[in-house]
Amino acid sequence: MKEANLIGLLEAMFHQSKEMILFVNGDGEIVYMNAHASRTLDDTDYDKSQFQHICSHCQGMYVGEGRIECNNCYLHMEEKVTFQVYMRTRDGSVEPFIANFQRIDPEEGISVFTLNPLSEQLKTQEMEHQKRLTQRIIQAQEDERKRISRDLHDGVTQELLNVLLEMRLFKYIEDHDALTEKMQKSEESLSRLLDYVRNISVELRPASLDDLGLEAALKTHFKWVERQYGMTVECHLDMHNKRFNPEVETVVYRIIQEAIFNAAKYADVETVEVDLHEIEDISGHSLNFEIRDGGLGFDLNSHPLGTGLGLFGMNERVSSVNGNVTIDSAPGNGTTVSGSIPL
Amino acid sequence: MDKMEKILSDVREKFNFDTVALTDVECSRCHSIKWKYNIGSTNDRWRKIELRSGKGLPGIVMKTGKSLVVDAIERIEMDGGVFQYPMIKIERLESFIAMPLWNDTEEVIGIVLLGNRQSRHFLQKEYEEIKEYVERHLRQQILKELIANEGS
């Protein structure tokens, strides 16, 4: 085939294709885009005389589990094929697309970026995923209820019954010393029971979180973790018992709790470090947290060992207060969960 | 090595266990239970563990008053996952026997945990032998120490 012919055909393809084709340079500026791309993508915000930047269209990549992230951007890669990105479109919405990104001119750093609308099939897949997630959440809720119910039944009811039986026998005891001894035993049982019930309620939601604030609640929780899992939490909190919005306090508490649980479950370490700082400077006012373990770590792209609901829950919680959370881990390199919440 | 440690080590060697642990028998009616000995452990995390009564392996064994014999952890469904049983997790046990030790007035005074880091099939006869040995040596030593401490 003649070369001239090929160039003609390529040009025709570029202009007429129903696929969006964009040429992007190393800085992410759009060098060319075809007619279909400029028809589809939202360009209302731009000064036409300037270069358009791909990042003002792109809203992030789909990373699985219903999450969209802007980490490991394809712009810094030689090649990334068949991945899902979200772009802003002309009608004002954010739509998912199947994308391919490939460097075609290494000298100039030019890459070709093609986008196809997400097929119905994939949309259904996403819906299926959402459904599965809902099922898992319901399942987790049921499991939690089962646990609480068992705790109440096995612990509280049993012990109460014991004490009741012991007390019934009191009236048949003639000897005063024997009676005193039995009563002391019952007293011990009741005091143990009181402790047990208190523990159940603290595990459900620590009262100290509402009454004494985040710092006190966290410190109590860290002590509990040490006794429960033999894992020490080294904490660096410098908030001077300051109180925050209750929603923010709950979110931070639960995220730190979840991250520590994960470390106890999977990291196989003796200590975990927790940092929590209030930052106030020109860029804003926020509460920053970081939970680090030097443990086993995991491959971020692999299938989760547990239900995967924990990490999902962290994301959900933090986005409910407009914060962000990132998880950084690699096999053998430990795991770091960090993020911030604007105040 | 005190006398109790010697007995625990003997049990460990005689019956080929990787770890042999014993709860703090001075505190069998306390609100929480700690492990006092753990022969063959790979780390010190077990020292920090303090489970409230009714929780973990000691909890189950105390409540039922019966030995718990597990050949392979992966093959059984444990309530709440292995995560509820920190000793198994920390010591990476794959099989174990958790045995209650009684005093003469029918109270559980301690739990002994005999574990292996591979799965292991326990025959009835083998279990009986272990139980007999533990009761003859370990239980007697515990009772002796309890009485000695009561006197002091």
Side-chain angles (χ1 to χ4, degrees):
Chain A
M1 193 183 284
K2 277 184 222 151
E3 196 173 302
N5 225 344
L6 178 64
I7 290 169
L9 286 171
L10 279 175
E11 222 169 86
M13 177 186 126
F14 178 72
H15 290 303
Q16 288 165 31
S17 174
K18 289 291 172 208
E19 180 178 57
M20 290 198 267
I21 304 174
L22 299 100
F23 290 101
V24 181
N25 73 11
D27 298 323
E29 285 164 339
I30 299 169
V31 188
Y32 285 110
M33 61 174 146
N34 70 351
H36 188 63
S38 57
R39 264 202 309 273
T40 315
L41 296 178
D42 178 28
D43 62 351
T44 46
D45 290 351
Y46 300 109
D47 179 353
K48 290 280 160 53
S49 63
Q50 293 205 344
F51 264 130
Q52 286 192 34
H53 203 277
I54 191 75
C55 292
S56 33
H57 293 293
C58 181
Q59 302 292 305
M61 283 185 281
Y62 182 77
V63 291
E65 303 290 317
R67 287 183 293 140
I68 300 164
E69 277 182 10
C70 194
N71 294 334
N72 297 325
C73 181
Y74 48 86
L75 275 181
H76 307 303
M77 295 183 193
E78 287 286 311
E79 176 176 290
K80 188 168 172 71
V81 290
T82 339
F83 58 105
Q84 192 177 335
V85 288
Y86 287 77
M87 303 295 251
R88 288 196 306 141
T89 58
R90 200 163 272 257
D91 58 18
S93 62
V94 174
E95 298 268 345
F97 291 93
I98 289 294
N100 281 295
F101 187 84
Q102 216 173 353
R103 187 142 308 159
I104 46 169
D105 184 351
E107 271 166 40
E108 301 281 327
I110 304 284
S111 307
V112 62
F113 188 36
T114 58
L115 293 162
N116 282 300
L118 190 62
S119 67
E120 280 306 313
Q121 191 198 357
L122 275 167
K123 273 187 196 160
T124 343
Q125 250 180 33
E126 210 170 325
M127 260 166 60
E128 282 294 318
H129 176 78
Q130 207 62 39
K131 228 158 77 186
R132 271 205 307 278
L133 206 59
T134 316
Q135 276 167 357
R136 283 218 300 256
I137 291 170
I138 293 171
Q139 185 60 41
Q141 204 176 30
E142 282 308 312
D143 287 348
E144 181 69 1
R145 288 188 183 181
K146 213 154 74 186
R147 193 184 65 76
I148 299 165
S149 143
R150 191 169 299 153
D151 245 11
L152 288 174
H153 179 268
D154 292 3
V156 181
T157 325
Q158 294 284 357
E159 286 271 324
L160 269 177
L161 203 64
N162 271 343
V163 180
L164 189 69
L165 288 173
E166 279 168 20
M167 289 176 81
R168 272 187 193 153
L169 292 174
F170 285 174
K171 51 180 172 282
Y172 304 112
I173 303 171
E174 308 264 305
D175 181 52
H176 186 262
D177 286 346
L179 183 62
T180 315
E181 198 192 313
K182 287 279 177 210
M183 280 169 75
Q184 245 166 19
K185 285 224 161 144
S186 301
E187 205 181 303
E188 270 175 38
S189 298
L190 275 179
S191 133
R192 219 176 26 225
L193 185 62
L194 187 68
D195 211 49
Y196 194 91
V197 174
R198 199 179 288 140
N199 266 307
I200 294 178
S201 67
V202 167
E203 268 174 46
L204 288 178
R205 185 183 164 84
S208 54
L209 186 55
D210 301 314
D211 301 339
L212 301 170
L214 192 54
E215 202 168 339
L218 281 173
K219 282 186 175 158
T220 316
H221 181 64
F222 295 159
K223 274 186 212 143
W224 181 85
V225 167
E226 178 157 2
R227 289 198 301 269
Q228 189 74 24
Y229 308 115
M231 188 176 78
T232 308
V233 181
E234 278 175 20
C235 59
H236 316 281
L237 318 171
D238 59 338
M239 303 182 308
H240 316 289
N241 287 316
K242 195 178 160 187
R243 299 302 305 265
F244 302 95
N245 176 335
E247 267 172 46
V248 172
E249 289 194 330
T250 307
V251 167
V252 173
Y253 183 85
R254 292 297 184 203
I255 286 176
I256 292 180
Q257 188 181 37
E258 182 63 36
I260 289 177
F261 276 161
N262 286 340
K265 275 187 186 171
Y266 308 116
D268 195 15
V269 287
E270 285 196 39
T271 50
V272 181
E273 283 185 70
V274 174
D275 284 346
L276 188 60
H277 300 290
E278 188 185 353
I279 307 274
E280 197 166 7
D281 57 20
I282 354 150
S283 59
H285 187 192
S286 64
L287 191 58
N288 294 15
F289 55 87
E290 185 170 299
I291 303 99
R292 290 183 304 273
D293 72 63
L296 299 177
F298 63 101
D299 181 0
L300 287 165
N301 296 318
S302 67
H303 198 71
L305 273 175
T307 55
L309 277 182
L311 295 185
F312 176 77
M314 276 199 229
N315 270 303
E316 288 289 288
R317 277 183 195 277
V318 84
S319 59
S320 74
V321 287
N322 302 318
N324 63 73
V325 59
T326 46
I327 294 148
D328 191 28
S329 186
N333 268 337
T335 304
T336 303
V337 175
S338 58
S340 72
I341 292 167
L343 294 170
Chain B
M1 192 187 280
D2 69 14
K3 206 143 187 213
M4 195 77 88
E5 279 177 328
K6 173 84 173 73
I7 295 172
L8 293 168
S9 304
D10 288 348
V11 176
R12 175 169 172 255
E13 263 173 47
K14 188 167 163 57
F15 298 103
N16 289 318
F17 286 107
D18 290 322
T19 63
V20 174
L22 179 69
T23 53
D24 189 352
V25 292
E26 292 292 330
C27 204
S28 54
R29 275 184 78 84
C30 295
H31 293 211
S32 52
I33 298 168
K34 290 193 78 159
W35 295 94
K36 191 169 180 195
Y37 297 95
N38 190 2
I39 312 290
S41 172
T42 50
N43 57 68
D44 267 348
R45 286 177 66 185
W46 61 273
R47 285 182 201 277
K48 299 182 199 160
I49 298 174
E50 193 177 337
L51 295 176
R52 62 186 167 95
S53 61
K55 289 280 152 182
L57 276 181
I60 295 186
V61 177
M62 280 216 175
K63 272 194 276 195
T64 58
K66 285 183 182 149
S67 290
L68 187 62
V69 183
V70 172
D71 287 350
I73 280 172
E74 54 187 10
R75 269 189 270 135
I76 58 157
E77 182 88 18
M78 291 190 103
D79 176 27
V82 179
F83 194 42
Q84 297 294 323
Y85 309 94
M87 268 301 250
I88 298 176
K89 179 96 188 153
I90 290 173
E91 297 298 341
R92 302 192 189 95
L93 300 183
E94 287 294 327
S95 60
F96 64 88
I97 297 176
M99 204 185 281
L101 297 162
W102 302 80
N103 67 7
D104 296 332
T105 54
E106 299 196 350
E107 277 178 313
V108 177
I109 44 172
I111 312 287
V112 61
L113 174 67
L114 311 146
N116 281 104
R117 296 198 177 90
Q118 302 94 38
S119 56
R120 168 173 176 177
H121 183 62
F122 296 102
L123 297 165
Q124 182 69 27
K125 189 169 153 279
E126 195 179 3
Y127 167 72
E128 298 292 347
E129 261 174 50
I130 296 167
K131 188 172 154 67
E132 200 267 334
Y133 188 90
V134 163
E135 293 199 335
R136 189 148 45 91
H137 294 88
L138 189 60
R139 180 170 173 269
Q140 289 311 319
Q141 179 62 26
I142 292 171
L143 292 177
K144 226 187 276 175
E145 284 190 15
L146 282 176
I147 290 165
N149 288 345
E150 219 166 79
S152 64

